[in-house]
Amino acid sequence: MEYNLGLLPNLFGFLSLILYLLTLVPGIIRTILTKYRTKKWNIFLLKKRREIGVSAFILALIHGVLIGVTRNLNFFDPAVIIKYIQGVLSFGIFTILAVTSNDYSVHKLKRNWKKIHSLTYLVIYILIWHVLDKMWGKWSVFTYISLLLLFLIVPFMLYRLFFQKKSRR
């Protein structure tokens, strides 16, 4: 049986994306837009980055569950996993990031924690693919805003990656 929840699943996906992007902002500001480094809102985002990231994970989980319910999907079926591979991959990475977003993991994983959390650079591209693939032909206001924000932040992410590698040399 399929349920019609309208845009509710997409709303949760959109909110998850917004929170995920907010976790990226402090790092971008710290390395690129340094004049905003000491702004109260950036300090707040920096201090609450883990909580915001875990909240993004929870909203992504709700998004996936609602999509599964509305479309009566069996996520144990390989054909369904292949069809929704971008969502499955990004959710898998979000799960790893959420589970390791605590002081205990930072202490136990040491340098590997930073390597694990660099997966966030991969997620942004998977999310672009996910939004384009799943919303193609049925665009909503969430789709337009999501893609605009993703395409706005990607150049900063690329620059930050380049900037970090250059400063390590």
Side-chain angles (χ1 to χ4, degrees), residues 3-19:
Y3 298 92
N4 185 359
L5 298 175
L7 291 176
L8 194 59
N10 292 344
L11 174 63
F12 280 100
F14 175 74
L15 293 174
S16 175
L17 175 70
I18 296 298
L19 290 180

Side-chain angles (χ1 to χ4, degrees), residues 23-24 26-32 49 120-121 154-166:
T23 66
L24 302 176
I28 290 169
I29 290 193
R30 195 171 56 219
T31 55
I32 300 171
R49 187 163 34 183
T120 197
Y121 295 110
V154 163
F156 289 108
M157 296 280 292
L158 289 171
Y159 183 82
R160 182 169 182 228
L161 272 173
F162 174 73
F163 184 78
Q164 282 181 331
K165 288 190 190 290
K166 187 177 176 184

Side-chain angles (χ1 to χ4, degrees), residues 48-87:
K48 300 294 182 183
R49 187 163 34 183
R50 287 186 196 170
E51 291 90 341
I52 294 168
V54 171
S55 298
F57 164 76
I58 291 167
L59 291 173
L61 174 63
I62 294 169
H63 167 70
V65 167
L66 290 177
I67 290 292
V69 167
T70 57
R71 298 180 185 165
N72 197 24
L73 300 175
N74 174 5
F75 283 106
F76 296 106
D77 179 356
V80 170
I81 292 172
I82 290 169
K83 181 175 180 180
Y84 293 92
I85 192 68
Q86 315 95 332

Side-chain angles (χ1 to χ4, degrees), residues 1-138:
M1 176 192 318
E2 283 195 26
Y3 298 92
N4 185 359
L5 298 175
L7 291 176
L8 194 59
N10 292 344
L11 174 63
F12 280 100
F14 175 74
L15 293 174
S16 175
L17 175 70
I18 296 298
L19 290 180
Y20 164 67
L21 294 176
L22 285 175
T23 66
L24 302 176
V25 169
I28 290 169
I29 290 193
R30 195 171 56 219
T31 55
I32 300 171
L33 304 170
T34 55
K35 71 179 181 177
Y36 299 107
R37 194 180 226 174
T38 57
K39 297 289 183 188
K40 287 182 182 179
W41 55 267
N42 189 53
I43 293 168
F44 173 81
L45 289 176
L46 189 59
K47 286 181 179 176
K48 300 294 182 183
R49 187 163 34 183
R50 287 186 196 170
E51 291 90 341
I52 294 168
V54 171
S55 298
F57 164 76
I58 291 167
L59 291 173
L61 174 63
I62 294 169
H63 167 70
V65 167
L66 290 177
I67 290 292
V69 167
T70 57
R71 298 180 185 165
N72 197 24
L73 300 175
N74 174 5
F75 283 106
F76 296 106
D77 179 356
V80 170
I81 292 172
I82 290 169
K83 181 175 180 180
Y84 293 92
I85 192 68
Q86 315 95 332
V88 171
L89 284 173
S90 57
F91 183 74
I93 294 171
F94 274 158
T95 301
I96 294 166
L97 297 176
V99 168
T100 59
S101 287
N102 55 67
D103 291 336
Y104 177 78
S105 295
V106 173
H107 175 72
K108 284 294 179 186
L109 294 169
K110 297 183 170 78
R111 284 186 172 169
N112 291 327
W113 185 88
K114 211 167 200 163
K115 290 178 185 174
I116 290 168
H117 280 256
S118 69
L119 288 170
T120 197
Y121 295 110
L122 176 62
V123 170
I124 197 137
Y125 301 104
I126 296 172
L127 287 175
I128 292 170
W129 177 29
H130 178 66
V131 172
L132 284 171
D133 183 55
K134 297 306 168 222
M135 297 308 294
W136 197 261
K138 45 190 181 276

